[in-house]
């Protein structure tokens, strides 16, 4: 079929083949998601927080319900004690904690809905109020998420207030640590300003593989006008690339004047 070229390169002038159904569906979903986020960013803080909380809670409930089906067999191992059972507060707290961790689909759906919904809602409010997204926002959201999870699940000992604070702090520390780890591994390495011109020269000559040789020999941008065949040989640059580099420096007026 005939088509015109677009910026995304999916349609080019001349004979083109249509996208497969999966790719079309992905593009439509991406467009819908982009439009939705654009619309949401223009709403008031209350509306945005409510929608984000609700949608995240639905997603969390789906995940929790699925996980609950996997732990339904474990739940049967914790029979409900009779009403008149004389259990100590500590024993009852342990029983509730086991139920919270191994509950059926409905219980896990509720727990995950609360955790994900509260976390997303607080994150949304913090980001809008502070104007940025950082580890502080993440830890505050995690504290609220852990505190609400403690309330709805009944985890912990008989002191409910202490349980809420302890769970909140535990969630905050875990999520803060994960945020820092993710930030560390996702951060792009800063460009070395001392080798910017050298990197450009090698790229133009198709010799970018020898950038490591320059760095190993501390041949920075300031040393470009001073380069000699022996200096390049010392950092193990082969004869052919050496000739190309020296010829480039010789032909460059700015570098030639600085020699």
């Amino acid at each position: 079929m005939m088509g015109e070229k677009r910026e995304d390169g999916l349609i080019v002038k001349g004979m083109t083949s249509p996208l497969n159904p999966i790719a079309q569906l992905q593009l439509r979903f991406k467009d819908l998601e982009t439009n939705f986020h654009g619309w949401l960013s223009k709403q008031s803080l209350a509306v945005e927080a409510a929608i984000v909380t609700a949608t995240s809670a639905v997603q969390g409930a789906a995940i929790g319900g699925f996980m609950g089906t996997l732990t339904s067999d474990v739940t049967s191992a914790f029979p409900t004690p009779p009403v008149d059972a004389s259990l100590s507060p500590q024993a009852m707290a342990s029983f509730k904690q086991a139920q919270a961790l191994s509950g059926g689909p409905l219980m896990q759906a509720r727990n995950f809905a609360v955790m994900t919904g509260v976390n997303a809602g607080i994150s949304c409010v913090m980001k809008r109020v502070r104007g940025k997204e950082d580890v502080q926002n993440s830890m505050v959201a995690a504290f609220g998420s852990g505190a609400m999870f403690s309330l709805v699940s009944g985890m912990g000992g008989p002191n409910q207030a202490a349980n809420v604070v302890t769970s909140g702090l535990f969630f905050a520390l875990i999520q803060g640590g994960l945020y820092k780890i993710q930030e560390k591994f996702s951060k792009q390495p800063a460009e070395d300003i001392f080798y910017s011109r050298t990197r450009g020269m090698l790229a133009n000559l198709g010799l970018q593989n020898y950038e490591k040789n320059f760095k190993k020999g501390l041949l920075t941008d300031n040393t470009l006008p001073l380069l000699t065949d022996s200096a390049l040989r010392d950092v193990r640059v082969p004869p052919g690339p050496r000739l190309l580099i020296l010829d480039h420096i010789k032909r460059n007026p700015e570098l030639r004047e600085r020699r």
Side-chain angles (χ1 to χ4, degrees):
M1 58 181 293
M2 301 296 293
E4 296 294 331
K5 187 175 181 180
R6 291 181 6 181
E7 291 184 358
D8 53 16
L10 296 177
I11 303 177
V12 295
K13 191 171 183 177
M15 298 299 296
T16 60
S17 57
L19 292 175
N20 63 69
I22 296 179
Q24 290 180 349
L25 185 62
Q26 290 175 338
L27 285 176
R28 291 177 182 175
F29 179 78
K30 186 176 181 180
D31 289 340
L32 288 174
E33 185 180 21
T34 301
N35 293 335
F36 174 74
H37 286 298
W39 172 82
L40 193 61
S41 63
K42 299 176 182 178
Q43 307 306 309
S44 65
L45 175 59
V47 172
E48 183 182 7
I51 293 177
V52 169
T53 300
T55 54
S56 298
V58 171
Q59 294 175 357
I63 296 174
F66 174 73
M67 293 186 62
T69 60
L70 303 178
T71 59
S72 57
D73 293 336
V74 181
T75 307
S76 60
F78 299 98
T80 303
V83 179
D84 58 348
S86 57
L87 294 178
S88 65
Q90 290 78 11
M92 182 59 71
S94 299
F95 174 77
K96 289 183 177 180
Q97 184 171 355
Q99 277 191 327
L101 294 175
S102 59
L106 292 179
M107 183 178 294
Q108 293 294 358
R110 177 201 64 187
N111 293 345
F112 274 77
V114 169
M115 284 192 297
T116 57
V118 171
N119 193 301
I122 296 178
S123 295
C124 173
V125 173
M126 293 291 291
K127 184 178 180 180
R128 179 75 77 91
V129 172
R130 301 184 68 223
K132 60 181 179 179
E133 187 174 0
D134 54 14
V135 66
Q136 286 82 0
N137 291 7
S138 180
M139 292 184 70
V140 170
F143 180 89
S145 175
M148 288 301 299
F149 173 75
S150 177
L151 287 174
V152 300
S153 66
M155 285 187 62
N159 190 337
Q160 191 64 46
N163 298 339
V164 169
V165 175
T166 302
S167 298
L169 290 175
F170 176 76
F171 275 57
L173 290 174
I174 293 297
Q175 188 154 319
L178 292 176
Y179 187 96
K180 282 295 187 182
I181 293 174
Q182 181 182 8
E183 186 179 50
K184 179 179 179 180
F185 284 98
S186 62
K187 183 181 293 185
Q188 296 293 332
E191 183 178 358
D192 196 336
I193 59 174
F194 297 106
Y195 296 92
S196 59
R197 295 192 62 183
T198 300
R199 184 179 298 108
M201 177 192 70
L202 294 175
N204 290 335
L205 297 174
L207 303 175
Q208 53 268 29
N209 292 337
Y210 296 103
E211 181 180 343
K212 61 181 182 297
N213 300 65
F214 275 72
K215 290 184 176 181
K216 186 176 181 180
L218 299 180
L219 299 178
T220 63
D221 292 348
N222 292 332
T223 66
L224 285 180
L226 308 175
L227 283 181
T228 61
D229 185 78
S230 61
L232 293 172
R233 187 169 58 248
D234 289 342
V235 295
R236 297 187 178 181
V237 177
R242 291 204 305 266
L243 292 174
L244 292 175
I245 293 170
L246 293 174
D247 181 68
H248 173 82
I249 295 174
K250 182 179 179 180
R251 294 174 180 272
N252 189 302
E254 182 181 352
L255 295 177
R256 187 172 63 247
E257 291 175 1
R258 295 173 55 189
R259 291 179 68 90

